[in-house]
Amino acid sequence: VSAICLQAESPEREGESRGRGSPPPRRRSPERSPRREYSPRERSPPPPPRDRSPGPHRCENPGTNVYVSGLAQRTRDVDVERAFSKYGKCACRLVSDPRTQEHRGFAFVNYDYPEDAQDAIQGLNRTELDGRVISVELVRVRSSTLPQHPERLATVLRGGARTTQLHA
């Protein structure tokens, strides 16, 4: 009989029921500061639009990195290197998906000389490789992703850094 009386006197709100062993409902402690409402006037203004025009503030590709897209899944780095080595000494790097380890259909080819890269662009752009038409162009380097240190910048432009820093 007394158990029924205790249950009736519990401070639970109507409509709320707790199962056995469940913790009491959380209440906001008085020490916490109240939630602050933000008004649009207190927000900082949006940043100015980025200037995408070429100029002295942008870092340009020295002309030795080439972006190749449209590669077939069966194409391997040796196939790309064989096709591009006709125009000069080069190193090829297919970009792979980190989860599946399959290449993503594009590659970077790094030449020793800008003239070789230009010859490869002119000779291989919009040609067929392993049954697919490939596109070949110079890598465009975005200044926002370039490292601030000159020695790291040189590494990126030579193609020795991670390919996530190079964007087409």
Side-chain angles (χ1 to χ4, degrees):
V1 174
S2 62
I4 296 172
C5 293
L6 286 175
Q7 204 172 26
E9 294 177 29
S10 71
E12 289 183 330
R13 294 186 199 126
E14 190 175 316
E16 286 185 7
S17 64
R18 291 192 324 234
R20 289 185 178 198
S22 60
R26 285 191 149 176
R27 292 196 176 113
R28 189 163 222 165
S29 67
E31 299 90 39
R32 281 187 160 184
S33 61
R35 291 186 183 212
R36 183 175 172 193
E37 305 246 348
Y38 292 99
S39 70
R41 284 183 273 152
E42 291 180 17
R43 292 185 185 159
S44 60
R50 293 191 332 194
D51 180 20
R52 296 182 186 271
S53 62
H57 65 282
R58 294 197 39 100
C59 182
E60 298 299 323
N61 183 349
T64 58
N65 289 332
V66 176
Y67 171 72
V68 183
S69 61
L71 297 172
Q73 276 300 311
R74 67 175 180 260
T75 304
R76 299 289 159 234
D77 55 351
V78 292
D79 303 327
V80 176
E81 196 159 341
R82 187 178 315 119
F84 281 81
S85 65
K86 296 174 186 173
Y87 298 94
K89 185 178 175 192
C90 65
C92 173
R93 190 171 60 243
L94 261 72
V95 178
S96 300
D97 184 287
R99 249 184 352 164
T100 64
Q101 298 303 314
E102 293 178 352
H103 76 79
R104 299 174 72 184
F106 65 95
F108 293 98
V109 179
N110 189 3
Y111 282 96
D112 288 341
Y113 301 104
E115 299 82 22
D116 296 341
Q118 282 300 325
D119 292 343
I121 291 169
Q122 291 172 356
L124 292 173
N125 188 32
R126 310 304 298 164
T127 60
E128 192 173 309
L129 181 65
D130 286 338
R132 298 275 306 264
V133 175
I134 60 171
S135 296
V136 183
E137 60 185 57
L138 277 179
V139 170
R140 291 179 292 225
V141 181
R142 294 190 320 193
S143 61
S144 63
T145 61
L146 289 175
Q148 299 300 316
H149 302 289
E151 62 274 1
R152 290 185 186 161
L153 174 63
T155 303
V156 170
L157 294 177
R158 279 195 313 268
R162 294 176 46 196
T163 58
T164 55
Q165 292 180 335
L166 301 175
H167 299 278

